[in-house]
Amino acid sequence: MQSVSIIVPCYNEEAVIHESYSRLKRVLDGITGYSTEIIFINDGSKDRTAEMLSAIAEQDKQVKVLHFSRNFGHQPAVTAGIHRCQSDLAVIIDADLQDPPELIPELLAVQQREQANVVYCVREKRKGESFFKKLTARVFYRSMNYLSEVKFPVDTGDFRLIDRAVMNEFCKFKEKGKYIRGIISWVGFKQVPFYYKRDARFAGETKYPLRKMLNFASTALLYFSTKPLKLSTSLGFIAVLLGIVYAIWTVLGKLMGFTHAISGWSSIIILVVFFGGVQLLTIGVLGQYIGILFDEVKDRPEYIIEKSENC
Ligand code: UDP
Ligand code: MG
């Protein structure tokens, strides 16, 4: 019999934990032919999430809980879940019930039927999210595909089913800044899409404020692409070309008398500002990559587990 783990990252989710657990439990009880378990990762929650999860683990031995020593973030939480998972299959799902747990049996069926290694869930509709969130998500997934050397399926979050082969490969990834949906797509094997409608958050509010969203987007971009470096080289190249054209124009103008040397103030300011901007921008891009090299070289752990229950 195959085994399935459901990996659920939780950060300050006291408002949804009970509902998530009971809906997951109901779904898992209905699944036949697989042994099942739930792995909750408490990502350093500051509310009652930790106690609530411990209480659940106390009365249900099918539930494993990993408590982080502080908030490390959504991606490290999912990573810890995958590292700890020993089952043949795993489903990654958010705690807030935006991704309906009732779809899990369908994911398993698709996996069986297609003999797939990954079943990734594509959001056809997103309910209850702000216009801003939907717009930034749309722009993000499309520009990632333009900027990255690898092509990713668009409008796909971490909600997906992965098998042992993919988990084994995932565990070999030593990079600390993880863009999980990118890595899973990168490893290849047989990956099939599954279309669904994303619900509104059951309760509580998003744990992804703009700051975290930007951070997430920059990890995705910097870890999967060197195109920003190439783009900044092109930008520098265009600036140099413009500079040469302008120099020729100035010299010719002087020789042939169609420019007046003294009236050069605005053009100088424009050039200084333009080249200054190009330089700062390209240095900034370099800095970003040096920053991630620095972080990776330190080789710090991605997360720290303070306590685990039932495992
Ligand atoms: N999450 C987490 N650590 C964080 C932020 C979020 O473990 O630092 C979890 C959160 O509890 C939820 C999932 O990641 O289960 C997705 O977060 P959320 O629903 O707030 O993001 P959104 O759906 O708004 O993008
Ligand atoms: Mg959510």
Side-chain angles (χ1 to χ4, degrees):
M1 189 158 67
Q2 283 203 307
S3 49
V4 191
S5 300
I6 315 296
I7 297 172
V8 195
C10 311
Y11 176 54
N12 293 347
E13 298 288 11
E14 62 182 6
V16 302
I17 287 295
H18 274 305
E19 183 69 14
S20 306
Y21 168 68
S22 48
R23 265 175 71 180
L24 274 169
K25 187 74 186 162
R26 215 174 309 136
V27 170
L28 296 186
D29 285 345
I31 294 178
T32 48
Y34 293 89
S35 67
T36 56
E37 65 169 15
I38 308 176
I39 306 177
F40 283 109
I41 301 95
N42 164 30
D43 183 13
S45 302
K46 294 176 193 74
D47 61 359
R48 295 186 47 249
T49 303
E51 298 141 62
M52 292 167 84
L53 289 176
S54 300
I56 293 172
E58 181 70 27
Q59 47 100 3
D60 184 351
K61 297 301 166 207
Q62 242 189 334
V63 172
K64 296 178 171 175
V65 185
L66 307 175
H67 296 272
F68 279 4
S69 61
R70 64 168 170 83
N71 179 235
F72 281 88
H74 175 216
Q75 300 287 296
V78 174
T79 303
I82 300 177
H83 284 171
R84 276 296 177 100
C85 170
Q86 286 167 344
S87 307
D88 304 308
L89 299 164
V91 175
I92 304 165
I93 190 166
D94 285 352
D96 62 358
L97 298 169
Q98 278 193 283
D99 309 320
E102 290 71 25
L103 296 179
I104 294 173
E106 294 178 47
L107 295 182
L108 289 169
V110 173
Q111 193 273 335
Q112 268 291 335
R113 194 176 62 232
E114 307 264 344
Q115 287 299 303
N117 300 88
V118 176
V119 183
Y120 59 91
C121 302
V122 186
R123 304 154 179 169
E124 276 186 318
K125 277 221 170 68
R126 306 168 69 122
K127 278 195 252 168
E129 285 179 304
S130 66
F131 172 73
F132 180 72
K133 178 95 183 184
K134 288 185 201 162
L135 179 77
T136 46
R138 265 193 89 79
V139 172
F140 170 71
Y141 288 114
R142 280 152 189 84
S143 40
M144 259 315 277
N145 268 346
Y146 168 69
L147 285 167
S148 159
E149 280 90 22
V150 209
K151 293 285 162 267
F152 306 108
V154 293
D155 301 328
T156 302
D158 285 329
F159 180 34
R160 58 185 71 212
L161 182 149
I162 55 181
D163 77 347
R164 179 59 20 218
V166 171
M167 284 189 266
N168 287 345
E169 293 308 320
F170 182 88
C171 291
K172 292 182 195 158
F173 278 69
K174 295 279 173 271
E175 64 208 61
K176 308 288 179 223
K178 283 208 174 64
Y179 176 53
I180 297 173
R181 58 200 76 167
I183 292 177
I184 294 179
S185 159
W186 188 91
V187 299
F189 297 102
K190 180 161 187 194
Q191 312 215 356
V192 297
F194 177 88
Y195 295 90
Y196 78 114
K197 292 183 181 53
R198 196 165 204 229
D199 286 337
R201 204 172 219 290
F202 173 71
E205 53 192 36
T206 176
K207 306 300 175 307
Y208 262 100
L210 187 63
R211 180 180 49 81
K212 276 194 185 169
M213 262 160 64
L214 288 175
N215 219 333
F216 178 73
S218 75
T219 305
L221 181 60
L222 295 170
Y223 276 79
F224 273 90
S225 174
T226 48
K227 262 199 195 154
L229 288 175
K230 291 173 193 145
L231 282 179
S232 49
T233 316
S234 316
L235 199 60
F237 190 68
I238 293 170
V240 168
L241 274 184
L242 286 178
I244 292 175
V245 170
Y246 186 65
I248 294 175
W249 184 77
T250 318
V251 172
L252 285 183
K254 187 84 191 147
L255 290 179
M256 296 160 85
F258 61 78
T259 55
H260 305 286
I262 204 73
S263 63
W265 191 80
S266 0
S267 49
I268 287 180
I269 289 298
I270 290 170
L271 285 177
V272 167
V273 169
F274 179 70
F275 282 102
V278 168
Q279 282 170 10
L280 283 180
L281 188 80
T282 45
I283 293 172
V285 171
L286 278 178
Q288 291 279 319
Y289 284 95
I290 294 175
I292 59 173
L293 282 177
F294 178 59
D295 279 344
E296 293 293 327
V297 163
K298 281 185 290 187
D299 202 23
R300 290 184 181 168
E302 277 171 270
Y303 54 82
I304 295 169
I305 297 176
E306 184 180 323
K307 182 172 80 162
S308 51
E309 286 155 333
N310 295 342
C311 57

mmCIF file of all heavy atoms in Angstrom, residues 9-11 13 43 71 73-74 77 94-96 98 129 133 198 201 205-208 212, ligand 1:
data_model
loop_
_atom_site.group_PDB
_atom_site.id
_atom_site.type_symbol
_atom_site.label_atom_id
_atom_site.label_comp_id
_atom_site.label_asym_id
_atom_site.label_seq_id
_atom_site.Cartn_x
_atom_site.Cartn_y
_atom_site.Cartn_z
ATOM 1 N N PRO A 9 2.195 24.098 5.826
ATOM 2 C CA PRO A 9 2.909 25.139 6.558
ATOM 3 C C PRO A 9 1.907 26.063 7.253
ATOM 4 O O PRO A 9 0.883 26.406 6.661
ATOM 5 C CB PRO A 9 3.641 25.901 5.446
ATOM 6 C CG PRO A 9 2.788 25.723 4.237
ATOM 7 C CD PRO A 9 2.128 24.378 4.368
ATOM 8 N N CYS A 10 2.188 26.444 8.497
ATOM 9 C CA CYS A 10 1.251 27.298 9.229
ATOM 10 C C CYS A 10 1.987 28.431 9.924
ATOM 11 O O CYS A 10 2.932 28.194 10.683
ATOM 12 C CB CYS A 10 0.539 26.528 10.335
ATOM 13 S SG CYS A 10 -0.146 24.980 9.814
ATOM 14 N N TYR A 11 1.537 29.634 9.697
ATOM 15 C CA TYR A 11 2.095 30.779 10.411
ATOM 16 C C TYR A 11 0.947 31.648 10.896
ATOM 17 O O TYR A 11 0.199 32.188 10.090
ATOM 18 C CB TYR A 11 3.023 31.568 9.479
ATOM 19 C CG TYR A 11 3.573 32.825 10.091
ATOM 20 C CD1 TYR A 11 4.244 32.774 11.313
ATOM 21 C CD2 TYR A 11 3.425 34.049 9.465
ATOM 22 C CE1 TYR A 11 4.741 33.929 11.883
ATOM 23 C CE2 TYR A 11 3.926 35.204 10.030
ATOM 24 C CZ TYR A 11 4.582 35.141 11.241
ATOM 25 O OH TYR A 11 5.071 36.283 11.805
ATOM 26 N N GLU A 13 -1.961 30.904 12.229
ATOM 27 C CA GLU A 13 -3.210 30.463 11.598
ATOM 28 C C GLU A 13 -4.242 29.991 12.625
ATOM 29 O O GLU A 13 -5.052 29.120 12.332
ATOM 30 C CB GLU A 13 -2.923 29.335 10.588
ATOM 31 C CG GLU A 13 -2.034 29.708 9.423
ATOM 32 C CD GLU A 13 -2.698 30.619 8.385
ATOM 33 O OE1 GLU A 13 -3.802 31.143 8.654
ATOM 34 O OE2 GLU A 13 -2.105 30.809 7.308
ATOM 35 N N ASP A 43 5.523 27.486 11.697
ATOM 36 C CA ASP A 43 6.638 28.352 11.320
ATOM 37 C C ASP A 43 6.795 29.521 12.296
ATOM 38 O O ASP A 43 6.644 30.679 11.928
ATOM 39 C CB ASP A 43 6.370 28.860 9.889
ATOM 40 C CG ASP A 43 7.493 29.708 9.346
ATOM 41 O OD1 ASP A 43 8.578 29.712 9.945
ATOM 42 O OD2 ASP A 43 7.270 30.374 8.320
ATOM 43 N N ASN A 71 10.103 32.378 13.075
ATOM 44 C CA ASN A 71 9.500 32.419 11.745
ATOM 45 C C ASN A 71 10.589 32.411 10.670
ATOM 46 O O ASN A 71 11.395 33.331 10.584
ATOM 47 C CB ASN A 71 8.627 33.673 11.621
ATOM 48 C CG ASN A 71 7.984 33.798 10.253
ATOM 49 O OD1 ASN A 71 8.146 34.818 9.581
ATOM 50 N ND2 ASN A 71 7.277 32.786 9.819
ATOM 51 N N GLY A 73 9.744 31.433 7.346
ATOM 52 C CA GLY A 73 9.098 31.705 6.054
ATOM 53 C C GLY A 73 8.425 30.483 5.469
ATOM 54 O O GLY A 73 8.696 29.346 5.862
ATOM 55 N N HIS A 74 7.548 30.753 4.532
ATOM 56 C CA HIS A 74 6.728 29.714 3.912
ATOM 57 C C HIS A 74 7.575 28.657 3.199
ATOM 58 O O HIS A 74 7.387 27.456 3.399
ATOM 59 C CB HIS A 74 5.784 30.444 2.931
ATOM 60 C CG HIS A 74 4.938 29.558 2.092
ATOM 61 N ND1 HIS A 74 4.630 29.870 0.800
ATOM 62 C CD2 HIS A 74 4.350 28.377 2.348
ATOM 63 C CE1 HIS A 74 3.866 28.912 0.302
ATOM 64 N NE2 HIS A 74 3.681 28.000 1.217
ATOM 65 N N ALA A 77 9.442 26.363 5.455
ATOM 66 C CA ALA A 77 8.507 25.471 6.149
ATOM 67 C C ALA A 77 8.144 24.278 5.248
ATOM 68 O O ALA A 77 8.178 23.126 5.684
ATOM 69 C CB ALA A 77 7.246 26.231 6.558
ATOM 70 N N ASP A 94 -1.740 24.773 1.472
ATOM 71 C CA ASP A 94 -1.747 25.851 2.465
ATOM 72 C C ASP A 94 -2.749 25.556 3.570
ATOM 73 O O ASP A 94 -3.718 24.844 3.358
ATOM 74 C CB ASP A 94 -2.141 27.184 1.805
ATOM 75 C CG ASP A 94 -1.019 27.756 0.969
ATOM 76 O OD1 ASP A 94 0.097 27.206 1.026
ATOM 77 O OD2 ASP A 94 -1.261 28.758 0.266
ATOM 78 N N ALA A 95 -2.500 26.172 4.728
ATOM 79 C CA ALA A 95 -3.383 25.923 5.859
ATOM 80 C C ALA A 95 -4.704 26.678 5.741
ATOM 81 O O ALA A 95 -5.682 26.337 6.388
ATOM 82 C CB ALA A 95 -2.681 26.342 7.154
ATOM 83 N N ASP A 96 -4.732 27.717 4.906
ATOM 84 C CA ASP A 96 -5.895 28.620 4.938
ATOM 85 C C ASP A 96 -7.088 28.163 4.114
ATOM 86 O O ASP A 96 -8.043 28.902 3.937
ATOM 87 C CB ASP A 96 -5.471 30.026 4.504
ATOM 88 C CG ASP A 96 -4.948 30.056 3.076
ATOM 89 O OD1 ASP A 96 -4.890 28.985 2.446
ATOM 90 O OD2 ASP A 96 -4.602 31.143 2.606
ATOM 91 N N GLN A 98 -7.468 27.842 1.018
ATOM 92 C CA GLN A 98 -7.669 28.434 -0.312
ATOM 93 C C GLN A 98 -7.594 27.339 -1.358
ATOM 94 O O GLN A 98 -8.229 27.424 -2.396
ATOM 95 C CB GLN A 98 -6.590 29.480 -0.587
ATOM 96 C CG GLN A 98 -6.904 30.816 0.038
ATOM 97 C CD GLN A 98 -5.990 31.887 -0.527
ATOM 98 O OE1 GLN A 98 -4.834 31.962 -0.149
ATOM 99 N NE2 GLN A 98 -6.508 32.688 -1.422
ATOM 100 N N GLU A 129 -9.598 37.420 -3.500
ATOM 101 C CA GLU A 129 -8.295 38.061 -3.376
ATOM 102 C C GLU A 129 -8.365 39.428 -4.034
ATOM 103 O O GLU A 129 -9.150 39.652 -4.962
ATOM 104 C CB GLU A 129 -7.211 37.193 -4.015
ATOM 105 C CG GLU A 129 -6.879 36.005 -3.129
ATOM 106 C CD GLU A 129 -5.817 35.089 -3.722
ATOM 107 O OE1 GLU A 129 -5.998 34.612 -4.846
ATOM 108 O OE2 GLU A 129 -4.822 34.839 -3.042
ATOM 109 N N LYS A 133 -3.430 41.766 -5.664
ATOM 110 C CA LYS A 133 -2.792 40.451 -5.515
ATOM 111 C C LYS A 133 -2.871 39.677 -6.840
ATOM 112 O O LYS A 133 -1.899 39.075 -7.288
ATOM 113 C CB LYS A 133 -3.509 39.674 -4.403
ATOM 114 C CG LYS A 133 -2.972 38.276 -4.173
ATOM 115 C CD LYS A 133 -1.968 38.248 -3.072
ATOM 116 C CE LYS A 133 -1.383 36.860 -2.899
ATOM 117 N NZ LYS A 133 -0.469 36.790 -1.786
ATOM 118 N N ARG A 198 -9.463 28.464 -7.140
ATOM 119 C CA ARG A 198 -8.930 28.743 -5.813
ATOM 120 C C ARG A 198 -9.963 29.499 -4.992
ATOM 121 O O ARG A 198 -10.522 30.487 -5.447
ATOM 122 C CB ARG A 198 -7.651 29.574 -5.940
ATOM 123 C CG ARG A 198 -6.851 29.556 -4.666
ATOM 124 C CD ARG A 198 -5.438 30.064 -4.876
ATOM 125 N NE ARG A 198 -4.579 29.503 -3.836
ATOM 126 C CZ ARG A 198 -3.740 30.232 -3.103
ATOM 127 N NH1 ARG A 198 -3.608 31.507 -3.311
ATOM 128 N NH2 ARG A 198 -3.016 29.646 -2.175
ATOM 129 N N ARG A 201 -9.626 32.765 1.286
ATOM 130 C CA ARG A 201 -9.105 32.342 2.570
ATOM 131 C C ARG A 201 -10.274 32.035 3.508
ATOM 132 O O ARG A 201 -11.237 32.806 3.557
ATOM 133 C CB ARG A 201 -8.285 33.510 3.119
ATOM 134 C CG ARG A 201 -7.245 33.118 4.093
ATOM 135 C CD ARG A 201 -6.386 34.323 4.401
ATOM 136 N NE ARG A 201 -4.986 33.908 4.515
ATOM 137 C CZ ARG A 201 -4.530 33.183 5.511
ATOM 138 N NH1 ARG A 201 -5.324 32.806 6.486
ATOM 139 N NH2 ARG A 201 -3.255 32.825 5.542
ATOM 140 N N GLU A 205 -5.983 36.621 7.907
ATOM 141 C CA GLU A 205 -5.577 37.399 6.742
ATOM 142 C C GLU A 205 -4.300 36.850 6.138
ATOM 143 O O GLU A 205 -3.671 35.970 6.716
ATOM 144 C CB GLU A 205 -5.411 38.874 7.127
ATOM 145 C CG GLU A 205 -4.496 39.060 8.302
ATOM 146 C CD GLU A 205 -4.596 40.483 8.840
ATOM 147 O OE1 GLU A 205 -5.718 41.025 8.817
ATOM 148 O OE2 GLU A 205 -3.554 41.018 9.259
ATOM 149 N N THR A 206 -3.939 37.370 4.963
ATOM 150 C CA THR A 206 -2.771 36.841 4.274
ATOM 151 C C THR A 206 -1.503 37.015 5.109
ATOM 152 O O THR A 206 -1.337 38.015 5.798
ATOM 153 C CB THR A 206 -2.593 37.496 2.889
ATOM 154 O OG1 THR A 206 -1.382 36.993 2.318
ATOM 155 C CG2 THR A 206 -2.523 39.006 2.970
ATOM 156 N N LYS A 207 -0.622 36.005 5.061
ATOM 157 C CA LYS A 207 0.655 36.082 5.769
ATOM 158 C C LYS A 207 1.756 36.501 4.803
ATOM 159 O O LYS A 207 2.929 36.370 5.084
ATOM 160 C CB LYS A 207 0.979 34.733 6.422
ATOM 161 C CG LYS A 207 -0.124 34.187 7.328
ATOM 162 C CD LYS A 207 -0.429 35.129 8.474
ATOM 163 C CE LYS A 207 -1.596 34.717 9.367
ATOM 164 N NZ LYS A 207 -2.863 34.420 8.740
ATOM 165 N N TYR A 208 1.311 36.945 3.625
ATOM 166 C CA TYR A 208 2.253 37.419 2.617
ATOM 167 C C TYR A 208 2.049 38.908 2.357
ATOM 168 O O TYR A 208 1.455 39.289 1.349
ATOM 169 C CB TYR A 208 2.079 36.645 1.305
ATOM 170 C CG TYR A 208 3.075 35.532 1.132
ATOM 171 C CD1 TYR A 208 2.746 34.223 1.399
ATOM 172 C CD2 TYR A 208 4.371 35.812 0.697
ATOM 173 C CE1 TYR A 208 3.660 33.197 1.256
ATOM 174 C CE2 TYR A 208 5.297 34.795 0.547
ATOM 175 C CZ TYR A 208 4.936 33.494 0.820
ATOM 176 O OH TYR A 208 5.852 32.487 0.656
ATOM 177 N N LYS A 212 7.062 40.517 1.963
ATOM 178 C CA LYS A 212 7.376 39.094 1.756
ATOM 179 C C LYS A 212 7.178 38.692 0.298
ATOM 180 O O LYS A 212 7.895 37.849 -0.227
ATOM 181 C CB LYS A 212 6.482 38.221 2.647
ATOM 182 C CG LYS A 212 7.029 38.062 4.057
ATOM 183 C CD LYS A 212 6.337 36.934 4.801
ATOM 184 C CE LYS A 212 6.804 36.877 6.245
ATOM 185 N NZ LYS A 212 5.988 35.992 7.072
HETATM 186 N N1 UDP B 1 3.143 30.781 5.811
HETATM 187 C C1 UDP B 1 4.206 30.302 6.560
HETATM 188 N N2 UDP B 1 5.201 31.183 6.923
HETATM 189 C C2 UDP B 1 5.181 32.504 6.566
HETATM 190 C C3 UDP B 1 4.088 32.965 5.770
HETATM 191 C C4 UDP B 1 3.097 32.072 5.406
HETATM 192 O O1 UDP B 1 4.282 29.118 6.898
HETATM 193 O O2 UDP B 1 6.099 33.237 6.939
HETATM 194 C C5 UDP B 1 2.065 29.835 5.428
HETATM 195 C C6 UDP B 1 0.654 30.268 5.801
HETATM 196 O O3 UDP B 1 0.311 29.876 7.105
HETATM 197 C C7 UDP B 1 -0.186 29.581 4.742
HETATM 198 C C8 UDP B 1 0.729 29.544 3.535
HETATM 199 O O4 UDP B 1 2.049 29.744 4.015
HETATM 200 O O5 UDP B 1 -0.500 28.243 5.108
HETATM 201 C C9 UDP B 1 0.390 30.595 2.505
HETATM 202 O O6 UDP B 1 0.296 31.875 3.119
HETATM 203 P P1 UDP B 1 -0.921 32.861 2.831
HETATM 204 O O7 UDP B 1 -2.181 32.110 2.654
HETATM 205 O O8 UDP B 1 -0.937 33.906 3.890
HETATM 206 O O9 UDP B 1 -0.446 33.503 1.448
HETATM 207 P P2 UDP B 1 -1.390 33.939 0.227
HETATM 208 O O10 UDP B 1 -2.296 32.788 -0.060
HETATM 209 O O11 UDP B 1 -2.116 35.146 0.701
HETATM 210 O O12 UDP B 1 -0.418 34.223 -0.860
#
